[in-house]
Amino acid sequence: MIQGGCRCGEVRYTLPFDEMPRVYCCHCLDCQTWSASAFTQQVIFAEGSLVANGPIVIFDLVRADGAVSRQHVCGVCHTRIFNTNTKRPGIAALRAGTLDRSNEIVPVAHIWVKRKQPWIIVPEDVPQFEENAPPAKFASILIGYEA
Ligand SMILES: [Zn+2]
Ligand SMILES: [Zn+2]
């Protein structure tokens, strides 16, 4: 099991991974603004496989295209734990910086690098994409699944 939690400690969660899951970074403007930082670190997982204790509250953002991005955050300190999107039913994106072992993260891909801050140098052997990665390619990188 992999564990994590929010900044204040009220929310704790587990995910059914045997080892550290694969993390990707998104450098898009939305992720920069939403994280108030340079990029987000995310792990894709099956919605429902995360088991959380504590006061998780939900904030919905209706996007311009009508899709709803649902943020699951700690109700006390407002750390964002994960989100879902009505465009991708059954799939959730964890904020990997909330993992207890976040110091072990070595991202396996970077997306939206056309918007990345220039001081960030992506290692040459790590796949990077100007915008979103093609879905089949992205799946093979994140879960080793060849479409
Ligand atoms: Zn908290
Ligand atoms: Zn993004």
Side-chain angles (χ1 to χ4, degrees):
M1 283 289 188
I2 291 289
Q3 299 187 331
C6 68
R7 171 72 176 81
C8 78
E10 289 291 319
V11 171
R12 295 288 303 161
Y13 66 81
T14 60
L15 275 168
F17 291 110
D18 292 331
E19 52 192 47
M20 276 290 282
R22 296 187 191 183
V23 173
Y24 72 93
C25 297
C26 182
H27 300 264
C28 80
L29 177 59
D30 285 343
C31 281
Q32 290 174 347
T33 306
W34 227 332
S35 66
S37 188
F39 55 88
T40 56
Q41 296 186 113
Q42 309 192 57
V43 171
I44 298 299
F45 66 97
E47 186 181 4
S49 68
L50 181 145
V51 177
N53 293 308
I56 286 192
V57 296
I58 287 170
F59 293 102
D60 281 345
L61 175 74
V62 181
R63 296 160 44 124
D65 62 1
V68 178
S69 177
R70 173 160 283 186
Q71 311 296 315
H72 299 246
V73 313
C74 170
V76 178
C77 70
H78 292 192
T79 300
R80 213 151 53 110
I81 306 294
F82 69 98
N83 70 279
T84 56
N85 189 306
T86 51
K87 264 187 157 176
R88 322 174 293 229
I91 293 173
L94 179 77
R95 302 295 137 169
T98 64
L99 291 167
D100 290 348
R101 292 163 60 189
S102 60
N103 59 316
E104 296 176 31
I105 290 172
V106 180
V108 297
H110 292 256
I111 63 172
W112 282 91
V113 295
K114 78 177 193 185
R115 192 57 176 70
K116 116 179 142 44
Q117 294 184 3
W119 55 270
I120 297 166
I121 310 299
V122 175
E124 270 178 26
D125 59 341
V126 176
Q128 52 177 299
F129 303 89
E130 285 295 297
E131 297 184 357
N132 285 319
K137 176 75 179 164
F138 208 33
S140 76
I141 292 170
L142 294 182
I143 58 176
Y145 170 76
E146 298 288 347

